[in-house]
Amino acid sequence: MTKDIMILAIETSCDESAAAVVKNGREVLSNIISSQIELHKLYGGVVPEIASRKHIEKINQVIEEALSEANVTLQDLDAIGVTYGPGLVGALLVGVAEAKAISFAVKKPLVGVHHIEGHVSANYIENKELEPPFLCLIVSGGHTHLVLVKEYGTYEIVGRTRDDAAGEAFDKVARAIGLGYPGGPKIDKLSKEGNNRAITFPRAHIEGAPYDFSFSGLKSAVLNHINSCEMKHEEINRADIAASFQEAVIDVLVTKTMLAAKDFGMKKVAVAGGVAANSSLREALAAACSKNGLAFYHPSPIFCTDNAAMIGAAAYYEYLKGTRSGLDLNAVPNLRIGER
Ligand code: KG4
Ligand code: ZN
């Protein structure tokens, strides 16, 4: 029998201080998340300096909780996985410094993990049969990518956003209609009360780049619609705006994902990142995949938004490949996917 591989994973790239213990890459023994959302809400978005300070206050506590809930000690671990980019530099540094200190103190290997590769790997947790190759649509607050996952830890980006990320568009539109931060879940909820065909917002298709995205025009169209209503002294229908905006985003995401799956001959499609928690997006992708004879995979909402279990899953496959980080591991705020 092969020995179990136990990884403690740490994630502090944005506004969640998180730690998890993951066994053999797919079994989550604990997944502790301390969210700072309530704090950042007051400012309408994440304040980097506040995020770093809060991570320092919370990180030891979440790690202790993760170990105790998993019923393991630091000595039982095989490696420490940590997000080292992309993200807010001060926030990332807290997790990286903590992981380095633990690795040094207990003499266990350190594995630096790319945050977005973590999001993709969230799909392995509940879909035990999912293995590469597959196509993954990554939609988070900072990224919108279509990626071919060729093997564990081997990625090829085939499409990306030219401007705003999908989550960023959700957050900006939510702010414009007075829903507050973070906007994604609020638009998701309010959309259910609105008509998604009430307003026709633009769907951007980029000449010569069929898998690339652009959301800034859509965001401007929403702002223009609000302004023109105000000029005419018409009351805006927030639910209709939310539903019509969301429909425009989903339409583009689903269309391009299906096109890429067909063109690259992928039979399996996965979705990842905070926006993957969106109920209508999941339904639309599931329906499109079923229509096109593709298998569809998605994480539960708790594994879509930032968490450390997904970092543990990604760290496991890096660990198996022999990836080890030195104590000189640094935070890389603009780390690119597939780069080490
Ligand atoms: O992956 P994530 O937690 O953090 C980043 O790595 O960016 O993604 C956060 C983003 C935010 O923009 C948030 O508004 C969006 O994911 N989001 C959603 C939903 N839940 C979170 N967007 C649409 N619908 C949701 N239910
Ligand atoms: Zn994220």
Side-chain angles (χ1 to χ4, degrees), residues 93-161:
L93 274 171
V94 177
V96 168
E98 180 82 17
K100 288 201 278 193
I102 296 174
S103 158
F104 180 72
V106 296
K107 300 188 178 57
K108 304 282 180 182
L110 180 67
V111 180
V113 174
H114 189 293
H115 180 75
I116 299 301
E117 297 182 12
H119 274 302
V120 174
S121 305
N123 279 287
Y124 299 135
I125 297 170
E126 295 156 297
N127 301 302
K128 308 290 181 205
E129 75 288 7
L130 175 62
E131 285 185 4
F134 60 92
L135 174 72
C136 190
L137 169 68
I138 304 162
V139 273
S140 74
H143 292 78
T144 302
H145 282 345
L146 268 171
V147 166
L148 300 178
V149 184
K150 297 182 156 179
E151 292 170 30
Y152 289 111
T154 307
Y155 305 87
E156 183 188 334
I157 301 175
V158 294
R160 51 160 51 90
T161 182

Side-chain angles (χ1 to χ4, degrees), residues 3-246:
K3 183 192 168 299
D4 287 332
I5 304 293
M6 208 74 87
I7 293 185
L8 168 69
I10 301 173
E11 154 65 42
T12 62
S13 68
C14 191
D15 59 349
E16 262 95 26
S17 319
V21 177
V22 179
K23 187 169 135 186
N24 299 329
R26 300 199 183 216
E27 198 180 325
V28 177
L29 302 187
S30 61
N31 185 34
I32 310 297
I33 305 169
S34 168
S35 174
Q36 308 175 357
I37 283 181
E38 288 306 317
L39 201 62
H40 297 287
K41 247 184 198 167
L42 305 171
Y43 306 94
V46 178
V47 184
E49 176 67 20
I50 294 178
S52 319
R53 286 168 187 266
K54 265 288 162 215
H55 285 314
I56 292 175
E57 277 174 34
K58 291 284 175 190
I59 195 68
N60 284 323
Q61 195 183 322
V62 297
I63 290 172
E64 272 165 26
E65 254 180 86
L67 292 169
S68 109
E69 201 178 298
N71 206 14
V72 298
T73 67
L74 289 173
Q75 296 306 331
D76 299 326
L77 301 172
D78 293 281
I80 324 293
V82 64
T83 307
Y84 73 107
L88 303 169
V89 68
L92 287 164
L93 274 171
V94 177
V96 168
E98 180 82 17
K100 288 201 278 193
I102 296 174
S103 158
F104 180 72
V106 296
K107 300 188 178 57
K108 304 282 180 182
L110 180 67
V111 180
V113 174
H114 189 293
H115 180 75
I116 299 301
E117 297 182 12
H119 274 302
V120 174
S121 305
N123 279 287
Y124 299 135
I125 297 170
E126 295 156 297
N127 301 302
K128 308 290 181 205
E129 75 288 7
L130 175 62
E131 285 185 4
F134 60 92
L135 174 72
C136 190
L137 169 68
I138 304 162
V139 273
S140 74
H143 292 78
T144 302
H145 282 345
L146 268 171
V147 166
L148 300 178
V149 184
K150 297 182 156 179
E151 292 170 30
Y152 289 111
T154 307
Y155 305 87
E156 183 188 334
I157 301 175
V158 294
R160 51 160 51 90
T161 182
R162 297 289 179 98
D163 39 60
D164 291 351
E168 200 178 344
F170 269 92
D171 294 337
K172 286 178 178 169
V173 166
R175 190 177 310 149
I177 56 175
L179 294 179
Y181 176 84
K186 293 184 172 143
I187 290 199
D188 191 352
K189 194 159 165 247
L190 185 61
S191 290
K192 299 198 193 308
E193 295 162 29
N195 173 2
N196 63 11
R197 293 171 186 213
I199 312 148
T200 309
F201 287 129
R203 275 79 163 148
H205 290 280
I206 299 155
E207 194 67 37
Y211 321 115
D212 277 1
F213 304 95
S214 165
F215 295 109
S216 70
L218 170 59
K219 175 194 66 195
S220 303
V222 174
L223 296 179
N224 289 342
H225 171 81
I226 297 170
N227 283 341
S228 90
C229 288
E230 278 169 2
M231 303 239 283
K232 289 186 264 174
H233 302 288
E234 283 172 10
E235 208 169 305
I236 59 163
N237 184 324
R238 300 196 314 164
D240 282 353
I241 294 176
S244 303
F245 156 78
Q246 183 175 279

